[in-house]
Every structure is written in structure tokens, then in C-alpha cells.
Amino acid sequence: RGDQEKEQGTARGLRIHDYLYFQVLSPGDIRYIFTATPAKDFGGIFHTRYEQIHLVPAEPLEACGELSNGFFIQDQIALVERGGCSFLSKTRVVQEHGGRAVIISDNAVDNDSFYVEMIQDSTQRTADIPALFLLGRDGYMIRRSLEQHGLPWAIISIPVNVTSIPTFELLQPPWTFW
């Protein structure tokens, strides 16, 4: 099984080292470029760039079943938290609610450096929308800012091509250490 996984990984170009970037446009106090990693062996890719799309924290945040704010996730991107069910299950829940993509933040809010490799569960199910992993600290800071401002969602631009931004480093969250 280990060899099979390794071969599959090579065939897909070992996407784990690929980073995908998004920028929060609003609220302004977290107007930073965030770094996420795509799921390794499930989910789709971004075929288009969304200049302005809502990033909506799911309710409940773990998104393991019916969402009470699913209406607001339709045609937008959901922010969910790790835990309670598989990464794939969360992605499917968001997809079933019409979400364009899902960003899954670690449930360890002090995690500011370790990217978890999101892989398939054992159910043979699939998902079509992009699924991205976000550091726990980043997810927490985005949610905290929304709560402080009483906002139901952030506005983001995704994906962002950071090679075209000479000041990319200056736009990263101040709590990110390299």
C-alpha cells in the first residue's frame, strides 16, 4: 500500500509542496496574503481567479453535516475547521451546499507553521471543488477579525499569483515567521 501511494503521489506530481495563495481584501485589519496547501489526492483545482468572493465561516465550524448558514456558502468559499470528520467529508458538505471551494483551517489555533497533508478517507467518495489547508493561527485570526467587526464573511481574492507582487513578503501576516 505504501508503494502504491508513493506511485500515485509521483503521478500527480506530489502536489503537497505546491502552495496556493489568497488575499483578504476585507476586513482591512487582516488584509494579508495567506498561504494554503491543496488537498493531496482529492478535490478540484481553481480554473478561474476570483477577484472578490466571500469567505464564509461555516456554521457549525467543523462542517460535518447540515450547515445552518449554507445559503450564504452557495457560490462562495467556506472556511471550516479541522476535526469531527474527514477532510473529504467536509469538502463534500460544502460542495453539497453549492460552495465553490473550501478552506480547512487546523483546529490547533497556535499552529503557525505546520501544513497538514489532506488525503482521501477510506470511503472511495470523491469531491470536485478545491480543498485547501490553512494554518490554525491564520484561520483563527480571520475568524476573530470577523467576530470583532460583526461581519458574516470576509472578502478575498483567490488564487493570487505572488510572483507578480514584488512586495509579497510585506503583505504576509505579521504572525507568520519564516
Side-chain angles (χ1 to χ4, degrees):
R1 175 156 173 90
D3 289 341
Q4 185 183 356
E5 281 177 12
K6 192 183 284 180
E7 280 174 34
Q8 185 184 5
T10 311
R12 295 196 56 152
L14 284 175
R15 281 170 41 185
I16 187 57
H17 296 298
D18 291 349
Y19 293 106
L20 195 141
Y21 304 92
F22 66 93
Q23 181 165 21
V24 171
L25 304 174
S26 164
D29 60 332
I30 51 161
R31 199 182 161 107
Y32 301 117
I33 294 177
F34 292 88
T35 304
T37 50
K40 186 174 178 185
D41 59 4
F42 68 89
I45 60 167
F46 284 94
H47 295 287
T48 183
R49 172 159 186 237
Y50 299 103
E51 297 290 343
Q52 289 193 2
I53 192 165
H54 293 170
L55 178 63
V56 185
E59 292 171 15
L61 203 51
E62 285 189 341
C64 292
E66 191 63 32
L67 302 179
S68 62
N69 66 337
F71 176 80
F72 296 107
I73 284 166
Q74 187 170 342
D75 290 324
Q76 308 299 328
I77 297 177
L79 177 63
V80 310
E81 193 171 80
R82 181 185 184 190
C85 59
S86 71
F87 292 123
L88 179 60
S89 291
K90 296 172 188 298
T91 305
R92 289 178 58 90
V93 166
V94 170
Q95 180 174 309
E96 283 157 17
H97 284 83
R100 299 266 178 101
V102 61
I103 296 177
I104 303 172
S105 73
D106 199 355
N107 49 6
V109 298
D110 57 348
N111 177 8
D112 59 8
S113 59
F114 180 72
Y115 288 89
V116 173
E117 191 172 77
M118 296 196 301
I119 56 172
Q120 275 271 18
D121 57 24
S122 54
T123 60
Q124 306 301 307
R125 297 172 304 168
T126 59
D128 302 316
I129 63 170
L132 305 172
F133 182 83
L134 182 66
L135 295 174
R137 171 65 60 86
D138 290 347
Y140 167 75
M141 296 300 274
I142 291 170
R143 290 194 314 273
R144 190 183 77 165
S145 174
L146 293 175
E147 283 165 20
Q148 286 172 343
H149 294 282
L151 295 170
W153 53 69
I155 297 172
I156 67 169
S157 182
I158 189 169
V160 171
N161 177 4
V162 295
T163 56
S164 66
I165 304 173
T167 56
F168 166 53
E169 283 76 18
L170 305 177
L171 295 168
Q172 291 177 294
W175 57 86
T176 304
F177 300 107
W178 287 92

